[in-house]
Amino acid sequence: MVRTKQILMEYSKFYAYFKLLPKTGDEEDIKNELVSSISQGRTTSLRELSRAEYDLLLLKLDQMVWEQRKMLRKQRSVVLRLMTAIGLDTSEWANIDNFCHQTRIAGKFFRFLAYEELVALERKLRAIKSKRPVHSSDQPKANILVLPQGLNINLNQLPS
């Protein structure tokens, strides 16, 4: 009975990894395909895998999840840099979440955005950045008075 619990806990590790994978299509078919590829077509059942095959499957899933997370981190970084470039204060997560939660931007909080949604948000932010003036700032610019040379005017006489 102890052995059964140990195997079930290991299957839970498989399903924890499997849940993190991006899936297109039926989940059962994807699971069967993964198991079949590890067992070289011998089986599509997790229970029929040998210990070595199961460990190899977990290693493969770990690598797949790691690559996905690495891509997600990189895309988040790109989006955050663009938010900073358009003038959003990214020092507070509340500012980022409030900006992303707008329906015209992403419609959900930043932490819940999937990779594809981050790519779409990147396109929107690049469009926003390209439509803004290059040297726009929130502070008003000072007017500069240029006087012709040779004109002797006391600065106290200038109109304010």
Side-chain angles (χ1 to χ4, degrees):
M1 183 130 188
V2 173
R3 182 154 169 75
T4 306
K5 285 185 179 179
Q6 183 181 9
I7 291 173
L8 288 177
M9 292 199 46
E10 290 182 27
Y11 288 154
S12 66
K13 190 172 182 179
F14 166 81
Y15 285 109
Y17 277 134
F18 188 69
K19 186 172 109 175
L20 296 174
L21 290 177
K23 296 171 198 72
T24 54
D26 184 36
E27 289 188 9
E28 189 66 27
D29 291 340
I30 296 170
K31 181 189 82 106
N32 291 341
E33 186 178 319
L34 282 170
V35 172
S36 178
S37 70
I38 291 296
S39 68
Q40 298 172 346
R42 181 177 53 82
T43 184
T44 59
S45 172
L46 274 175
R47 291 183 180 168
E48 294 178 13
L49 288 178
S50 68
R51 179 74 181 166
E53 290 171 333
Y54 183 72
D55 289 341
L56 187 62
L57 177 61
L58 289 179
L59 183 65
K60 181 178 179 179
L61 287 173
D62 183 48
Q63 289 171 346
M64 291 168 69
V65 167
W66 176 252
E67 286 299 316
Q68 177 192 2
R69 286 185 177 176
K70 196 164 71 170
M71 287 174 35
L72 188 64
R73 275 192 201 125
K74 186 175 181 177
Q75 192 61 33
R76 283 179 177 162
S77 177
V78 167
V79 168
L80 287 171
R81 276 188 264 125
L82 284 169
M83 285 180 183
T84 303
I86 65 169
L88 183 69
D89 178 21
T90 57
S91 64
E92 296 287 331
W93 284 109
N95 295 339
I96 297 166
D97 281 340
N98 289 337
F99 178 75
C100 289
H101 197 264
Q102 298 174 31
T103 53
R104 292 183 307 158
I105 303 299
K108 55 170 81 168
F109 292 122
F110 183 76
R111 65 184 166 270
F112 297 125
L113 295 174
Y115 179 79
E116 295 80 18
E117 294 167 323
L118 287 167
V119 170
L121 180 57
E122 177 188 358
R123 275 184 266 139
K124 287 180 184 179
L125 292 173
R126 289 192 188 281
I128 291 170
K129 185 180 174 188
S130 70
K131 291 181 182 183
R132 291 206 172 173
V134 176
H135 296 291
S136 72
S137 68
D138 295 336
Q139 299 175 353
K141 295 182 180 175
N143 293 330
I144 299 174
L145 179 64
V146 179
L147 298 174
Q149 287 184 347
L151 187 61
N152 293 330
I153 296 179
N154 186 353
L155 291 178
N156 294 333
Q157 298 173 345
L158 292 176
S160 53

